Amino acid sequence: MFLKITSAERMKNTEKRRIDSMKVTISVIKADIGGFVGHSHSHPDILKYADELLSAAKDEKTVTDFHVAHCGDDLELIMTHGKGVQDKGIHALAWDIFTKCTEKAKSMKLYGAGQDMLKDSFSGNLKGMGPGFAEMEFEERESEPLIVFMADKTEPGAWNLPLYRMFADPFSTAGLVIDPKVTKGFTFEVHDVKKNRSITMSTPNQSYQLLSLIGTPSRFVIKHVFRNLDSEIAAVSSTERLGLIAGRYVGKDDPVMIVRAQSGFPAVGEILEPFAFPYMVAGWMRGSHHGPFMPVSQNDAKPTRFDGPPRVLALGFQLCNGMLGLPSDMFSDPSFDLARQKANEITDYIRRHGPFEPARLSSDEMEYTTLPQVMKDLEGKWNRLD
Ligand code: F6R
Ligand code: MG
Ligand code: MG
């Protein structure tokens, strides 16, 4: 039996298919433009202002949808649009919002207002300007769940361990063993942030080589992950290192990351599983200490103890024709209570080391903190040992 479809319905279906097959870009762009109080939190008036500015951009159709969040003192702009990654207009919009929020933060005498705005004016792209960004473009699937991770008081390499566990460790992601779309593994693009070069490695074949690099997260940082089956993008992180851009200590990079979930990607629970272990990251107080990475809800994304411990926030979205819709606060779940408790125990333990390594970063990494300025005072005061 034939179903009769009217031409209006046919047009509606064609339009629906056009929307269904449209490419969507998600851009997560962040900057510390001023803290409340100190470096611990973001002022609600700033978050409201950023929301208003992005609302206007949505009205003007510059972005399709957006969500404003904060992780500690970092303002996080989560935006969708159809313009591809590193789009001049989207980067200019983010720069403009950070500039306006910096002005407001200055007028409110918030702490470190404009901290991450390393350049005076925008020149076409946010690369090397201070703000961090993670962006990906893809064809929206029939259902497109994704998770945006945001961190405070740590560096971009902090995503190395969970990315490896999500996309290359079957003890964490059961799909690597069970799901035929996933068993071919994933390819990792790793950036050497000190030598400004990149390399790609495919797992499981090159797992050990990959680990030999990414085990040094201060230097080797996973930028992208692609699915081997069809080269589809699976994850992207922000890799900007503020200290390397500015040539001096200007606070921690506090990276962001986007991960696609389900139907041939790791499941939501497989993506979150690595964070049930509060592994050690570099950053924390004065960007100079190791501390446990504590998974928290949006409400608890305000590091206070010894300016920490470093926090990770995860907001899940269920994209719908480019619209982000409501965020789901993924770590607002009692099953992460033990990770938080363990992080507090580790905090007590490692803090007792005071200024000693390994609580304090190794001297190599201290090069990018304010310690070298202190060491200058000792120059010329040393006696040679024969
Ligand atoms: C680390 C961080 C804080 C500050 C510390 C000292 O990323 O933002 O731990 O380094 O509060 O800040 P200043 O030097 O601004 O007094
Ligand atoms: Mg700050
Ligand atoms: Mg911060």
Side-chain angles (χ1 to χ4, degrees), residues 222-286:
I222 300 167
K223 177 70 189 173
H224 291 112
V225 181
F226 301 95
R227 181 164 62 188
N228 284 346
L229 179 75
D230 52 8
S231 305
E232 192 65 20
I233 181 127
V236 61
S237 75
S238 64
T239 45
E240 291 66 36
R241 291 283 319 255
L242 288 167
L244 299 179
I245 297 169
R248 64 189 157 85
Y249 182 65
V250 274
K252 266 299 173 208
D253 322 292
D254 303 336
V256 290
M257 160 169 89
I258 310 167
V259 184
R260 294 172 80 191
Q262 308 289 156
S263 302
F265 293 116
V268 164
E270 289 167 335
I271 290 168
L272 299 177
E273 181 61 13
F275 296 96
F277 164 58
Y279 59 98
M280 298 296 266
V281 295
W284 206 349
M285 175 59 77
R286 297 178 186 278

Side-chain angles (χ1 to χ4, degrees), residues 31-36 38-41 72-74 111-113 115-116 152-153 250-252 254:
D32 176 350
I33 53 85
F36 163 71
H39 293 283
S40 68
H41 196 353
D73 54 2
D74 289 271
Y111 194 69
Q115 180 183 293
D116 291 354
D152 193 33
K153 307 291 182 268
V250 274
K252 266 299 173 208
D254 303 336

Side-chain angles (χ1 to χ4, degrees), residues 26-28 81 85-86 90-91 133-137 236 258:
I26 171 159
S27 298
V28 182
H81 53 92
V85 301
Q86 299 209 28
I90 295 295
H91 281 212
F133 56 91
E135 302 177 282
M136 56 160 80
E137 185 188 35
V236 61
I258 310 167

